[in-house]
Amino acid sequence: MYKAIIHITLKESVLDPQGSAVKQSLHSLEYGEVQDVRIGKFMELELDEQDEQKAQARVTEMCEKLLANTVIEDYTFKLEKK
Amino acid sequence: MYKAIIHITLKESVLDPQGSAVKQSLHSLEYGEVQDVRIGKFMELELDEQDEQKAQARVTEMCEKLLANTVIEDYTFKLEKK
């Protein structure tokens, strides 16, 4: 079994309205030291797969086809053997 | 300056409808090896703060007060000196 830990973040060039909203809320709570907030998704997938290279290829496909919108998002992932 | 990297995940005992929906979509795309999907939030905060202990305490407060719903979510974070 493998566990895939995936991080999906907006590309640097893409505006992050959710991040801006959180920053404003933090400022209104007197956390003025916060200069920037970027928000992304974090996914943990349990895979019934014994071959690491196959798991690597399949998770890449899953990210490209479904999990990430590659027009505006970047993704990274790592695999952990369970 | 410090960068806080925060992971917010649903508590194990809490149902993850979003994760279930993604699992079903992956199965419909023939990724049957996917046994479970858990989805969470991932935040990067840039802090204009020189003192690590103060940054640690302040980010804990931010998570407790705003960023995480501690009734149903767990949070972890690490600080990186920039």
Side-chain angles (χ1 to χ4, degrees), chain A residues 43-44 66-67, chain B residues 9-26 36-40 72-73:
Chain A
M43 296 187 190
E44 293 176 314
L66 181 75
L67 303 178
Chain B
T9 52
L10 287 170
K11 290 184 189 289
E12 285 295 326
S13 56
V14 177
L15 199 63
D16 182 356
Q18 203 181 1
S20 307
V22 167
K23 186 171 97 171
Q24 271 173 8
S25 302
L26 288 169
D36 190 40
V37 177
R38 300 284 294 178
I39 296 181
I72 60 167
E73 292 173 330

Side-chain angles (χ1 to χ4, degrees), chain A residues 7 9 30-31 33-40 42-48 58 61 65 67, chain B residues 7 9 22 30-31 33-40 42-48 58 61 65:
Chain A
H7 285 87
T9 53
E30 313 292 329
Y31 294 107
E33 68 267 40
V34 176
Q35 303 297 300
D36 190 40
V37 178
R38 300 285 294 178
I39 297 181
F42 163 68
M43 296 187 190
E44 293 176 314
L45 271 59
E46 305 271 345
L47 303 171
D48 184 13
R58 295 279 281 181
E61 274 182 40
K65 281 186 187 170
L67 303 178
Chain B
H7 284 86
T9 52
V22 167
E30 313 291 332
Y31 295 106
E33 67 266 41
V34 176
Q35 303 294 301
D36 190 40
V37 177
R38 300 284 294 178
I39 296 181
F42 163 67
M43 295 187 189
E44 293 176 313
L45 271 59
E46 305 271 347
L47 303 171
D48 183 13
R58 295 279 281 181
E61 274 183 41
K65 282 187 186 171

